[in-house]
């Protein structure tokens, strides 16, 4: 009776509007209060047969922890719940994978797992669940399934990947924003395949909109269903192309990107294509080998989720990314192993200004500094540069090493040229330091610490923070607006100052 109640509670083929089903989000949030929630992703081979589907249904009916399932063609998503203080991945998902592998035998292509939990940093439930889905897909792509022998070999690897996902869901290290996370299986044909073969595939699978053309695992072209139908619908389309090799009609210059490329950059490349290619899928490779493709819809949905999350975590005063975005950017730069520069900006005597002119004017001054940084990046930087608002009057800029010093000089000149407008016409000859002592200064000044990271330097966000804090202390010891610079190259430090 208990099992029957559980089975009746399983939602089948329930698809809601928006990025995620609202009922699913509600169900997961309810179970978060009682323990862990995990996802098991399964991809079956095309045309696996009625016996495999029946075996899958039988397996589903035996899963007591399963509270939600959804099948989409050859893919299936299973959500499990755990108990308080229980390691769900080891005790439930591993057993689920092993129990599924036996009856389905060679019909499984890939399986992957991931855990999800409520955010400890204020992220939305929708964002956390969406990331879990991407983690499960990613773990599946990292573990091929080829029948019983592969099942025995790969089950531990799949579960291990899922366990790591539990940590990464909170790390915010930028990995989830790589286009490779959106790579999905896609029909693939060799360049010598007949046009008729691809046409039959499209006719028998109405939901498939395109086919990738690849030789030895390397993509060489793309053929979208709509374009093939337009070609064959012509007066001489069938006799001309039906028995020819697909390489004769494929798009030889599709958009092919590396799995590590940021989703935002891929979105820009996709939207810049000719209108006739605007809705073509984006082919994704790893070391020039095909790993899948992403539809424009999936890319735009991911972009929407990212922008919603960025807006939620942005500093409300300036609209610039906050600490989560800053950490993500620093991790991305460190992984790239390329030279870059970090500039920390901090106002001197800002407390005096706040006390003397009021908090409203203090907020205006912070916004002024943010605008100085934005304007100088717009004039002299690139679209890849980053500005973040740590909090209060502290900002960070991540930019190219080549023009970082010029940026510092220009920001100081611009800031000093506009600061006097905030004094309301009063002439400032002295200010109070943080200890309440009067010192002879002409008002608020700008201290910049510039850290240059050479290529392949061994870095961590903590090392960047400590180095920048040390440089900021040196800069604040100087009179007026200044910048202090230090270079980090592999295992040694070199210093310089302007």
């Amino acid at each position: 009776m208990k099992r029957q109640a559980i089975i009746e509670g399983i939602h089948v083929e329930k698809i809601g509007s928006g990025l995620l089903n609202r009922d699913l989000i509600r169900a997961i949030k309810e179970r978060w209060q009682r323990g862990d929630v995990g996802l098991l992703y399964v991809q079956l081979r095309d045309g696996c047969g009625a016996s495999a589907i029946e075996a899958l249904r039988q397996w589903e009916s035996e899963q007591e922890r399963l509270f939600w399932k959804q099948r989409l063609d050859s893919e299936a998503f299973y959500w499990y719940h755990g108990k308080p203080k229980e390691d769900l991945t080891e005790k439930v998902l591993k057993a689920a994978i092993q129990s599924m592998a036996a009856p389905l035998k060679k019909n499984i292509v890939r399986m992957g797992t991931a855990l999800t939990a409520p955010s400890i940093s204020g992220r939305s439930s929708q964002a956390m669940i969406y990331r879990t889905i991407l983690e499960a897909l990613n773990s599946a792509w990292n573990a091929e399934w080829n029948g019983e022998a592969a099942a025995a070999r790969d089950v531990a690897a799949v579960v291990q990947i899922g366990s790591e996902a539990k940590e990464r869901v909170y790390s915010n290290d930028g990995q989830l924003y790589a286009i490779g996370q959106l790579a999905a299986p896609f029909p693939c044909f060799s360049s010598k395949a007949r046009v008729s073969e691809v046409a039959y595939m499209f006719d028998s699978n109405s939901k498939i909109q395109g086919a990738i053309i690849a030789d030895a695992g390397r993509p060489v072209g793309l053929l979208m269903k709509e374009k093939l139908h337009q070609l064959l619908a012509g007066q001489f389309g069938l006799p001309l192309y039906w028995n020819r090799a697909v390489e004769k009609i494929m798009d030889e210059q599709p958009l092919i990107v590396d799995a590590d490329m940021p989703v935002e950059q891929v979105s820009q490349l996709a939207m810049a294509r000719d209108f006739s290619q605007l809705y073509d899928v984006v082919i994704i490779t790893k070391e020039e080998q095909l790993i899948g493709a992403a539809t424009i819809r999936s890319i735009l949905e991911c972009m929407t989720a990212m922008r919603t999350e960025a807006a939620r975590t942005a500093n409300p005063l300036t609209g610039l990314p906050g600490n989560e975005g800053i950490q993500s950017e620093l991790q991305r730069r460190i992984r790239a192993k390329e030279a870059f520069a970090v500039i920390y900006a901090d106002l001197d005597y800002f407390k005096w200004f706040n006390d003397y002119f009021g908090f409203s004017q203090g907020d205006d001054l912070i916004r002024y500094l943010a605008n100085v940084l934005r304007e100088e990046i717009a004039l002299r930087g690139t679209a890849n540069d980053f500005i973040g608002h740590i909090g209060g009057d502290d900002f960070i800029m991540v930019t190219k090493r080549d023009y970082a010093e010029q940026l510092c000089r220009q920001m100081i000149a611009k800031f000093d040229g506009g600061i006097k407008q905030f004094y309301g016409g009063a002439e400032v000859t002295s200010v109070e330091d943080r200890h309440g002592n009067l010192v002879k200064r002409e008002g608020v000044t700008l201290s910049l610490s510039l850290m240059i990271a050479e290529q392949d330097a061994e870095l961590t966000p903590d090392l960047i923070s400590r180095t920048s804090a040390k440089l900021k202390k040196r800069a604040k010891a100087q009179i007026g607006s200044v910048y202090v610079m230090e270079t980090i190259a592999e295992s040694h430090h070199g210093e310089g100052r302007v």
Side-chain angles (χ1 to χ4, degrees):
M1 186 69 181
K2 179 181 178 182
R3 176 171 295 184
Q4 181 62 32
I6 293 173
I7 298 302
E8 288 176 354
I10 296 176
H11 299 257
V12 183
E13 303 296 331
K14 196 175 183 71
I15 302 173
S17 61
L19 187 63
L20 290 172
N21 189 315
R22 293 178 181 176
D23 292 337
L24 171 59
I25 296 173
R26 188 182 303 111
I28 291 175
K29 289 171 70 175
E30 289 173 356
R31 284 161 178 80
W32 274 342
Q33 299 175 13
R34 304 194 294 269
D36 286 342
V37 173
L39 172 64
L40 170 58
Y41 165 77
V42 181
Q43 183 193 354
L44 301 176
R45 296 189 184 281
D46 291 337
C48 57
S51 61
I53 298 300
E54 183 58 35
L56 187 61
R57 288 174 180 164
Q58 178 61 32
W59 172 86
E60 291 169 359
S61 69
E62 298 169 354
Q63 304 305 302
E64 295 187 355
R65 301 292 182 82
L66 179 62
F67 69 90
W68 193 286
K69 67 180 179 181
Q70 182 172 346
R71 285 198 299 271
L72 300 170
D73 295 332
S74 62
E75 298 174 289
F77 298 83
Y78 299 103
W79 290 93
Y80 286 79
H81 66 87
K83 296 179 180 178
K85 298 181 181 179
E86 179 183 62
D87 190 336
L88 180 62
T89 297
E90 292 295 332
K91 291 189 176 181
V92 178
L93 295 184
K94 182 176 180 180
I97 288 175
Q98 292 171 332
S99 65
M100 180 185 286
L104 290 181
K105 297 180 180 179
K106 296 182 179 181
N107 290 296
I108 299 174
V109 177
R110 295 181 179 88
M111 302 177 75
T113 68
L115 280 182
T116 184
S119 173
I120 60 176
S121 57
R123 290 180 177 276
S124 67
S125 300
Q126 185 173 358
M128 298 298 290
I129 296 168
Y130 182 60
R131 285 186 169 202
T132 305
I133 295 172
L134 296 182
E135 288 284 357
L137 292 171
N138 184 55
S139 69
W141 275 100
N142 282 281
E144 285 279 342
W145 283 69
N146 296 303
E148 292 178 320
R153 184 184 68 245
D154 291 341
V155 64
V158 176
V159 173
Q160 181 182 6
I161 293 170
S163 301
E164 294 169 356
K166 184 176 182 181
E167 299 301 321
R168 287 205 301 270
V169 80
Y170 299 115
S171 68
N172 199 30
D173 63 2
Q175 289 186 353
L176 295 174
Y177 298 142
I179 189 63
Q181 304 297 328
L182 300 184
F186 224 73
C188 185
F189 292 84
S190 76
S191 60
K192 302 303 180 184
R194 300 291 182 185
V195 171
S196 57
E197 297 176 49
V198 183
Y200 280 133
M201 185 272 298
F202 284 146
D203 290 342
S204 59
N205 297 274
S206 60
K207 294 183 179 180
I208 296 177
Q209 299 302 310
I212 298 171
I213 314 304
D215 291 328
R218 181 175 174 272
V220 294
L222 176 70
L223 185 58
M224 299 299 293
K225 177 192 286 188
E226 183 180 359
K227 294 176 182 176
L228 175 60
H229 285 174
Q230 289 176 352
L231 194 64
L232 296 180
Q235 184 177 2
F236 302 105
L238 285 173
L240 278 176
Y241 302 111
W242 190 249
N243 289 314
R244 301 191 72 179
V246 72
E247 65 182 348
K248 301 296 184 181
I249 64 170
M250 69 182 185
D251 177 4
E252 297 179 342
Q253 294 183 320
L255 179 55
I256 302 175
V257 298
D258 185 81
D260 293 329
M261 184 177 289
V263 172
E264 188 169 9
Q265 187 176 350
V266 175
S267 175
Q268 292 170 354
L269 292 172
M271 293 300 102
R273 293 182 294 184
D274 184 80
F275 182 80
S276 63
Q277 297 176 303
L278 199 57
Y279 294 101
D280 289 3
V281 299
V282 176
I283 300 173
I284 304 170
T285 61
K286 188 71 174 179
E287 297 178 352
E288 297 187 352
Q289 292 294 298
L290 176 67
I291 65 170
T295 64
I296 295 302
R297 177 178 178 177
S298 69
I299 293 172
L300 294 180
E301 284 183 342
C302 182
M303 287 292 298
T304 299
M306 288 167 56
R307 286 169 178 167
T308 300
E309 186 68 10
R312 189 191 64 79
T313 59
N315 187 287
L317 184 60
T318 60
L320 292 172
N323 288 322
E324 289 187 17
I326 293 169
Q327 291 297 315
S328 177
E329 177 66 17
L330 291 177
Q331 289 281 12
R332 185 179 73 83
R333 297 283 184 155
I334 290 170
R335 286 197 307 273
K337 293 291 185 181
E338 296 176 353
F340 65 96
V342 176
I343 303 172
Y344 270 72
D346 176 65
L347 295 177
D348 307 315
Y349 309 112
F350 179 68
K351 183 179 183 302
W352 161 81
F353 183 90
N354 249 351
D355 294 343
Y356 194 88
F357 293 98
F359 289 104
S360 178
Q361 278 290 88
D363 287 348
D364 288 343
L365 183 55
I366 289 174
R367 280 190 285 263
Y368 168 67
L369 175 56
N371 289 334
V372 168
L373 303 182
R374 285 190 181 104
E375 290 170 9
E376 289 307 313
I377 279 290
L379 287 173
R380 295 170 177 82
T382 69
N384 199 39
D385 290 335
F386 174 88
I387 306 173
H389 190 171
I390 300 169
D393 59 323
D394 292 317
F395 292 81
I396 184 174
M397 180 182 294
V398 187
T399 184
K400 281 191 174 183
R401 174 191 58 184
D402 304 346
Y403 49 79
E405 283 195 80
Q406 182 185 5
L407 274 174
C408 288
R409 289 191 288 266
Q410 293 299 131
M411 287 188 294
I412 287 173
K414 192 173 188 66
F415 179 85
D416 287 348
I419 183 60
K420 291 186 178 180
Q421 65 180 309
F422 291 91
Y423 302 146
E427 184 177 351
V428 178
T429 58
S430 62
V431 301
E432 283 188 1
D433 63 18
R434 288 191 169 273
H435 304 290
N437 302 316
L438 279 177
V439 293
K440 289 187 177 182
R441 298 288 188 272
E442 294 183 356
V444 179
T445 52
L446 177 62
S447 287
L448 301 177
S449 63
L450 169 58
M451 190 204 77
I452 304 292
E454 297 289 2
Q455 188 174 7
D456 295 326
E458 294 297 326
L459 294 173
T460 64
D462 181 62
L463 175 60
I464 294 173
S465 179
R466 285 188 284 109
T467 303
S468 298
K470 178 183 68 175
L471 293 175
K472 184 173 80 169
K473 186 176 181 180
R474 285 171 49 193
K476 282 185 168 292
Q478 311 298 319
I479 297 176
S481 296
V482 300
Y483 74 91
V484 175
M485 181 177 72
E486 180 172 318
T487 299
I488 296 180
E490 296 189 8
S491 59
H492 66 276
H493 296 262
E495 296 188 6
R497 179 187 176 278
V498 177

